[in-house]
């Protein structure tokens, strides 16, 4: 699939290092799907949709820094929507987000509310200054926020907020955030693993199921094609939370 051209229509600052880019194209994505964003002359990187025509990006390295140099009117290349996305099920759902990983969950929560589901959210951030989309989540239902430094809400990681809920009350749990935050949640909530859909991150190159860069040990699941949303029972049996492969295929530590 060749990239299509797209113009950035608006850039919004959400937090210290997080911005939302609204594009001139609505690619009709399902929440949890992603696009490959081509920043010409720099790199092509995967980004989840935070709305039908939006991505929300944390600046972490070369490509994202180059994107942050762009404003309304700049052009980028897009391939997508790609991947499986989340599946909405049941009547009552819990969203658990960490940092910029909360962005695709805001999109999912809005779709869920529009379909009449009851939505509760547990969101974890490093600090008060890093909180994103608080109003979007509060418009959906009850929201519990945790911060690592205790500057807002419950002090601690997102898992510190789990005691506020009985997970048995929810038909489905949706999770997205840094890998160790997600691992922390799924390893504490094993009895709910089959109803936990996690949107995960691996190093993507082709995003077409061909190169093998994103494969999960031990069964070779191609995260770019068969994911990025994978149920926690499968993640508990995989490399997830233990190691991940980088651009050369070498094993490295998980982040966050
Ligand atoms: C399915 C999916 C959805 C994502 N959604 C979002 C999102 O909504 N918002 C957001 O801010 N980030 C998202 N990411 C992460 C984002 O793709 C990386 O932060 C980005 O590629 C970093 O590129 P860089 O050149 O700025 O940084 P680099 O300096 O290249 O790397 C910084 C870190 O990002 C990782 N990374 C770099 N390139 C890739 C790649 N092609 N695939 C996966 N990881 C990579 C590196 O391993 C490194 O640890 C998503 C990743 C995946 C796989
Ligand atoms: S990124 Fe190439 S197979 Fe997934």
């Amino acid at each position: 699939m060749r990239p299509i051209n797209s113009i950035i229509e608006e850039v919004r600052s959400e937090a210290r290092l997080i911005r939302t880019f609204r594009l001139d194209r609505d690619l009709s994505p399902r929440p949890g799907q992603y696009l490959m964003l081509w920043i010409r002359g720099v790199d092509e990187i995967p980004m989840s949709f935070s709305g039908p025509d939006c991505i929300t990006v944390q600046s972490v390295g070369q490509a994202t820094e180059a994107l942050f140099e762009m404003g309304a009117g700049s052009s980028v290349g897009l391939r997508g929507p790609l991947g499986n996305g989340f599946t909405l099920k049941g009547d009552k759902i819990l969203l658990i987000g960490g940092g910029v990983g909360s962005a695709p969950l805001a999109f999912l929560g809005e779709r869920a509310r529009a379909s009449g589901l009851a939505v509760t959210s547990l969101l974890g951030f490093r600090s008060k200054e890093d909180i994103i989309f608080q109003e979007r989540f509060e418009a959906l239902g009850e929201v519990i926020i945790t911060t690592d430094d205790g500057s807002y809400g419950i002090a601690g990681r997102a898992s510190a907020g789990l005691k506020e809920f009985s997970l048995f009350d929810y038909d489905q749990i949706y999770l997205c955030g840094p890998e160790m935050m997600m691992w922390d949640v799924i390893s504490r909530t094993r009895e709910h693993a089959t109803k936990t859909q996690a949107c995960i991150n691996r190093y993507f190159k082709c995003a077409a199921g061909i190169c093998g860069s994103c494969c999960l040990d031990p069964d070779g699941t191609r995260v770019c094609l068969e994911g990025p949303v994978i149920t926690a029972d499968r993640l508990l049996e995989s490399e997830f939370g233990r190691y991940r492969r980088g651009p050369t295929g070498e094993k490295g530590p998980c982040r966050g």
Side-chain angles (χ1 to χ4, degrees), residues 171-191:
D171 298 315
Q172 207 68 197
I173 300 166
Y174 299 89
L175 181 60
C176 188
E179 183 146 340
M180 293 318 292
M181 167 263 170
M182 290 202 275
W183 176 250
D184 190 27
V185 170
I186 66 175
S187 58
R188 289 166 192 262
T189 59
R190 287 170 189 266
E191 66 271 45

Side-chain angles (χ1 to χ4, degrees), residues 54-214:
C54 293
I55 53 172
T56 298
V57 180
Q58 179 162 22
S59 178
V60 294
Q62 197 189 15
T64 47
E65 280 166 16
L67 180 65
F68 272 42
E69 296 293 312
M70 296 180 168
S74 300
S75 83
V76 289
L78 307 179
R79 286 193 289 144
L82 300 168
N84 57 354
F86 293 110
T87 305
L88 277 177
K89 287 183 190 171
D91 300 320
K92 212 174 160 192
I93 65 170
L94 176 64
L95 311 178
I96 306 180
V100 75
S102 305
L105 296 180
F107 181 27
L108 175 72
E110 285 161 359
R111 284 284 163 89
R113 276 303 297 144
S115 304
L117 278 68
V119 179
T120 303
S121 307
L122 167 60
L123 307 172
F125 300 96
R126 287 213 173 101
S127 173
K128 187 179 177 186
E129 289 75 40
D130 299 310
I131 295 173
I132 59 167
F133 297 143
Q134 186 172 0
E135 286 179 9
R136 276 179 84 178
F137 284 101
E138 283 175 349
L140 303 174
E142 187 193 359
V143 180
I144 300 281
I145 292 182
T146 67
T147 50
D148 296 354
D149 66 2
S151 54
Y152 191 91
I154 296 171
R157 307 185 67 167
S159 58
L162 287 172
K163 61 181 185 318
E164 304 294 317
F165 306 98
S166 166
L167 298 190
F168 291 99
D169 291 347
Y170 297 94
D171 298 315
Q172 207 68 197
I173 300 166
Y174 299 89
L175 181 60
C176 188
E179 183 146 340
M180 293 318 292
M181 167 263 170
M182 290 202 275
W183 176 250
D184 190 27
V185 170
I186 66 175
S187 58
R188 289 166 192 262
T189 59
R190 287 170 189 266
E191 66 271 45
H192 304 285
T194 55
K195 65 173 186 184
T196 301
Q197 299 180 37
C199 183
I200 75 160
N201 185 318
R202 279 293 174 273
Y203 199 91
F204 287 7
K205 289 184 182 169
C206 69
I210 297 166
C211 73
S213 163
C214 66

